[in-house]
Amino acid sequence: MNTTTAGQGVRLHVVTGKGGTGKTTVAAALGVALAAQGKRVLLAEVEERQGISSTFDIAPLSTSETLILNDPSGGSLYGMSVEPKAALLEYLHKFYKLGRAGSLLEKIGAVDFATTIAPGVRDVLLIGKVYEAAGRTQGRGRKAVPAYDAVVLDAPPTGRVARFLGVNTEVAEVARVGPIKSQADSITALLKSRITAVHLVTLLEEMPVQECLDATQSLSEAGFPVGAIIVNQVRDPILSEGDLTDLSDGITSRLHTEIAADLASVGVADPDRTTTVLLEEAQAHLERLDLQAEQDQRIQEQGRLVYYLPQLPGGLEAGGLNVLADELHTQGMV
């Protein structure tokens, strides 16, 4: 168990991971854990999948910041689904004061062109909205404080997260002057600053781990601050250490005799055949544990902070999200 925090001083938590690793669930759990510390937190998504609303079983989120929950600690969690078209119209209004002209551009298809065809524009708009939320303040002068204590971004998968985060650098090279370059430079500065951390979610399986390690390297080379590696859905042993040793050593005769006798004592028909099937399942479980240990070793060799979240037998129902949030707190990530 790692008791070193990966969140000290961090206000923007970017969560990525290979598809199927549960990155949205982990991002949501991180948001809940931060809110439980009395913080005002924004949880944002940029893939238009409504993954956050599905995770919390609430109505679909909009581009407006919507209260998801209030925590007894005084903290709160808000959610937002960033949509590129709305972000572009907001951008045009804010920087170019287009007002109704922005709506006209939408009618003639210019907005759809910019958000679906023009290279990089879509990602610039999505990150820009998150940047604005992360940097927003309330109050004036010396009394101004951040509107949110923390922002958690459910980012694109590891396969494209480095390009997603680095798109503003490309834009700044093209737009050498004006508000576009100014904002692109500011966003890049935030994403590469000490108040940002990119966390990577993985499973203890070969392909997710390899993609996690590849992304860690590409993010580091691009200058983005890598935070923690979060290992999701870890399976604990369901057999005793002695039984696992016997299975590993191929000594199954004792286990077969004991299990068959127990089954026969409770009236199970054909206990020998049933025992054989059970031992095959046990062997598969052992192989899974060996695979986990092998992949965990690869992760540990990176020398980074690592946190482990358990597999939830009942899924997120019955407070599963709170279980994961508690784990992140207990292990010291928040």
Side-chain angles (χ1 to χ4, degrees), residues 231-289:
V231 180
N232 195 22
Q233 299 180 26
V234 177
R235 301 183 187 183
D236 291 328
I238 57 176
L239 299 175
S240 70
E241 197 66 39
D243 290 342
L244 289 173
T245 299
D246 286 347
L247 284 170
S248 180
D249 294 340
I251 305 173
T252 58
S253 58
R254 177 185 62 82
L255 290 174
H256 191 287
T257 300
E258 293 177 355
I259 294 171
D262 289 340
L263 294 176
S265 69
V266 294
V268 173
D270 198 354
D272 283 331
R273 182 175 180 279
T274 302
T275 299
T276 298
V277 172
L278 289 174
L279 286 175
E280 289 173 351
E281 292 290 330
Q283 188 65 43
H285 176 63
L286 174 64
E287 292 172 359
R288 171 68 192 188
L289 293 177

Side-chain angles (χ1 to χ4, degrees), residues 45-48 62-63 81-94 98-99 101-117 121-127 129:
E45 64 181 9
V46 292
E47 296 182 275
E48 299 183 84
S62 68
T63 55
S81 180
V82 185
E83 193 270 325
K85 184 181 296 186
L88 176 57
L89 291 173
E90 182 178 327
Y91 178 86
L92 294 173
H93 175 71
K94 180 176 181 180
L98 288 185
S103 299
L104 178 60
L105 288 174
E106 182 178 10
K107 289 182 180 179
I108 65 174
V111 172
D112 284 330
F113 172 81
T115 56
T116 61
I117 300 176
V121 170
R122 176 188 176 90
D123 288 347
V124 169
L125 295 167
L126 296 175
I127 299 174
K129 182 68 175 176

Side-chain angles (χ1 to χ4, degrees), residues 23 265 277 308 318 323:
K23 71 177 179 66
S265 69
V277 172
Y308 300 88
V323 171

Side-chain angles (χ1 to χ4, degrees), residues 39-96:
K39 296 181 178 181
R40 180 180 168 93
V41 184
L42 174 64
L43 176 61
E45 64 181 9
V46 292
E47 296 182 275
E48 299 183 84
R49 295 187 301 106
Q50 288 296 332
I52 296 174
S53 61
S54 176
T55 299
F56 285 95
D57 193 21
I58 57 176
L61 295 173
S62 68
T63 55
S64 300
E65 292 145 41
T66 304
L67 179 65
I68 295 177
L69 61 85
N70 282 313
D71 190 84
S73 66
S76 55
L77 179 64
Y78 290 77
M80 175 176 67
S81 180
V82 185
E83 193 270 325
K85 184 181 296 186
L88 176 57
L89 291 173
E90 182 178 327
Y91 178 86
L92 294 173
H93 175 71
K94 180 176 181 180
F95 287 99
Y96 294 97

Side-chain angles (χ1 to χ4, degrees), residues 65-240:
E65 292 145 41
T66 304
L67 179 65
I68 295 177
L69 61 85
N70 282 313
D71 190 84
S73 66
S76 55
L77 179 64
Y78 290 77
M80 175 176 67
S81 180
V82 185
E83 193 270 325
K85 184 181 296 186
L88 176 57
L89 291 173
E90 182 178 327
Y91 178 86
L92 294 173
H93 175 71
K94 180 176 181 180
F95 287 99
Y96 294 97
K97 314 299 181 186
L98 288 185
R100 293 180 180 176
S103 299
L104 178 60
L105 288 174
E106 182 178 10
K107 289 182 180 179
I108 65 174
V111 172
D112 284 330
F113 172 81
T115 56
T116 61
I117 300 176
V121 170
R122 176 188 176 90
D123 288 347
V124 169
L125 295 167
L126 296 175
I127 299 174
K129 182 68 175 176
V130 176
Y131 164 80
E132 184 277 328
R136 191 189 315 150
T137 59
Q138 51 188 12
R140 295 184 177 181
R142 295 181 179 178
K143 295 183 178 181
V145 296
Y148 291 102
D149 300 303
V151 174
V152 179
L153 171 60
D154 178 16
T158 45
R160 75 180 196 93
V161 70
R163 174 149 193 175
F164 172 78
L165 296 176
V167 69
N168 283 278
T169 301
E170 299 177 14
V171 170
E173 292 174 355
V174 176
R176 299 186 179 278
V177 294
I180 294 178
K181 174 175 173 52
S182 177
Q183 186 184 39
D185 286 341
S186 296
I187 293 173
T188 298
L190 170 68
L191 293 175
K192 294 187 176 183
S193 73
R194 62 179 181 80
I195 68 170
T196 297
V198 184
H199 308 300
L200 296 103
V201 181
T202 187
L203 305 178
L204 288 178
E205 298 173 1
E206 186 173 0
M207 288 187 64
V209 168
Q210 186 60 56
E211 193 161 315
C212 171
L213 301 184
D214 290 344
T216 298
Q217 181 176 349
S218 61
L219 287 165
S220 297
E221 291 175 349
F224 296 108
V226 176
I229 295 177
I230 304 170
V231 180
N232 195 22
Q233 299 180 26
V234 177
R235 301 183 187 183
D236 291 328
I238 57 176
L239 299 175
S240 70

Side-chain angles (χ1 to χ4, degrees), residues 307-322:
Y307 302 98
Y308 300 88
L309 296 178
Q311 184 181 43
L312 299 173
L316 294 180
E317 290 78 12
L321 201 58
N322 289 326

